[in-house]
Amino acid sequence: MVKADGYGHGCRIMADTLSKLGIQQFGVASVQEGIVLREAGILGQILVMGGIFPWQLKDLIAFNLIPTLSSDAVAHALSQIVPHDRRPYPIHLEVDTGMRRLGFTVEEALALLQSPMMTHTLSCRGLMTHLADADNPDPAFTLDQLSHLETAVLRLRSANVPIPCVHAANTAGILWHPQACLDMVRPGLMLYGYAPVPKREAPIALQPVMTLTTKVVHVKTVEKGEPVSYGGIHRTRRRSRLAVVPIGYAHGYARQLSNKGEVIIHDQRCPIVGRICMDMTIIDVTDASMVKPGDDVIVMGKSEKQEITAYDLATWQESIPYEVLCNLGPHVHRVYEPLANTCDEAGEPG
Ligand SMILES: *Cc1c(COP(=O)(O)O)cnc(C)c1O
């Protein structure tokens, strides 16, 4: 899954890197995201997992994207415009087994797949569902969803509807529900090195892919009792040294981190003071050893003794690591390191 610009990591490089590692199918949320990958030269299959508007179907076909359909109307609209030389056009169908978001009921899926339109213009290459509660230590809801999916598959197959590929598992499904790993899995967050919940033991060692760093752009000394940043929600409790770093909510560094979050400077954790601004944040560096402009700041990542993860940021801003990562917008300059130290299964350098 490389939606949301590869969870904030850059979908082109992610898809390109994953292709080189042998991945042949990519999941995106929208037709636009699929087009971005095609225009970047990604050749594998691209599944659009989010909802699709009828007016996007021309682009869907032009860019050779596979829709995950949840609506008869869209299926009909697609069958109307598939060119003769592209028939039958591949689709996946979603069944709603408990997420109550997209997806057909089993009856609706059966009716659609048995309609003449299906045999002539569309070809069902996969049946999928989305797990709503797979990170819950209580597996009941997930097991219930999987049994609904199984029922759907059995009913379709017994009606002689071929279903070549069944898929359900997201990261939480892959990590904690082996029975959800069917013909294909759809890892998202774990590709980027995080499990959905930090404390639950994961059978695979994950390592965060992204480090977010900046540098101190300005330092000043402020007397005791002075208000800091917009609205003065922080007042210095002593004579303080403050460092300004050029990152703010315009970059996706959440304003909820105001007066709450921390960064790492010189291997020490230093608190954010006052409100986060659009492009700047103020850090109290009174207790850090002599901070000066140009010094490195780790916003998310590891120093020798300290580490700030997307979980930490998520806790401070009352969110989840998904949102922390995918909020990092296009203003954040991305630098990619080659996969120098990784090995593939055969032990060959990746
Ligand atoms: C985003 C998404 C995934 C991946 O979810 P993660 O929890 O990030 O692994 C899988 N399937 C669908 C349909 C999705 O939208």
Side-chain angles (χ1 to χ4, degrees):
M1 297 302 303
V2 292
K3 64 192 178 195
D5 198 25
Y7 290 49
H9 294 64
C11 64
R12 298 174 188 82
I13 301 258
M14 277 305 299
D16 190 50
T17 305
L18 290 165
S19 312
K20 287 178 182 140
L21 295 171
I23 301 302
Q24 292 162 358
Q25 300 200 45
F26 300 95
V28 294
S30 65
V31 172
Q32 289 95 321
E33 288 183 340
I35 294 174
V36 167
L37 291 188
R38 282 287 182 247
E39 288 184 334
I42 298 300
L43 297 174
Q45 292 187 16
I46 299 176
L47 260 82
V48 179
M49 315 292 315
I52 296 171
F53 293 108
W55 59 83
Q56 297 179 302
L57 292 171
K58 256 167 71 188
D59 279 344
L60 181 105
I61 296 171
F63 289 90
N64 196 17
L65 310 174
I66 302 178
T68 305
L69 297 179
S70 288
S71 133
D72 273 334
V74 178
H76 278 99
L78 178 62
S79 75
Q80 304 267 300
I81 63 165
V82 175
H84 283 273
D85 62 339
R86 300 289 298 273
R87 289 178 185 185
Y89 197 85
I91 61 162
H92 285 221
L93 281 201
E94 177 159 356
V95 283
D96 183 358
T97 58
M99 180 74 183
R100 315 288 181 237
R101 192 173 62 179
L102 297 173
F104 291 102
T105 63
V106 179
E107 287 70 29
E108 289 166 341
L110 192 60
L112 176 66
L113 290 173
Q114 289 181 315
S115 72
M117 165 185 89
M118 276 309 301
T119 39
H120 294 114
T121 56
L122 306 180
S123 158
C124 183
R125 302 287 170 80
L127 189 79
M128 57 84 69
T129 198
H130 193 50
L131 300 177
D133 199 31
D135 56 359
N136 188 338
D138 178 353
F141 197 82
T142 302
L143 294 176
D144 192 54
Q145 284 196 271
L146 292 172
S147 97
H148 274 85
L149 181 64
E150 195 184 338
T151 308
V153 174
L154 288 176
R155 284 192 54 187
L156 294 170
R157 286 188 175 148
S158 66
N160 278 328
V161 177
I163 306 289
C165 174
V166 183
H167 49 110
N170 52 8
T171 293
I174 296 165
L175 293 179
W176 298 307
H177 301 276
Q179 62 283 55
C181 299
L182 304 166
D183 302 318
M184 176 166 98
V185 293
R186 305 190 306 266
L189 189 67
M190 68 185 290
L191 289 179
Y192 309 94
Y194 286 97
V197 280
K199 291 193 187 74
R200 206 166 158 197
E201 203 175 314
I204 303 169
L206 297 169
Q207 260 185 39
V209 169
M210 187 195 291
T211 297
L212 180 62
T213 62
T214 181
K215 285 180 193 293
V216 172
V217 71
H218 187 71
V219 177
K220 69 170 58 182
T221 301
V222 171
E223 295 307 321
K224 178 179 171 177
E226 302 287 345
V228 176
S229 191
Y230 288 124
I233 60 166
H234 173 83
R235 234 168 234 281
T236 50
R237 276 175 226 105
R238 54 183 172 173
R239 192 165 196 262
S240 303
R241 273 180 74 75
L242 304 181
V244 179
V245 290
I247 182 169
Y249 59 78
H251 304 91
Y253 196 49
R255 191 164 171 275
Q256 292 95 310
L257 296 165
S258 297
N259 256 351
K260 264 198 206 151
E262 295 174 342
V263 300
I264 302 168
I265 305 179
H266 296 174
D267 206 17
Q268 277 174 285
R269 282 173 171 255
C270 307
I272 294 171
V273 285
R275 287 225 169 95
I276 291 193
C277 311
M278 187 181 289
D279 297 284
M280 283 181 268
T281 295
I282 302 168
I283 311 295
D284 185 339
V285 293
T286 317
D287 294 328
S289 41
M290 219 33 211
V291 174
K292 54 186 188 318
D295 285 357
D296 289 325
V297 178
I298 299 173
V299 176
M300 182 168 68
K302 241 185 188 158
S303 63
E304 215 170 296
K305 292 194 229 79
Q306 302 294 338
E307 180 171 22
I308 293 175
T309 64
Y311 298 127
D312 296 315
L313 289 158
T315 306
W316 291 324
Q317 68 191 67
E318 290 174 47
S319 181
I320 50 174
Y322 293 84
E323 190 185 13
V324 169
L325 295 174
C326 73
N327 273 358
L328 294 170
H331 292 333
V332 179
H333 177 65
R334 284 152 176 84
V335 177
Y336 297 93
E337 290 180 10
L339 288 167
N341 300 318
T342 57
C343 288
D344 66 16
E345 293 236 298
E348 284 164 23

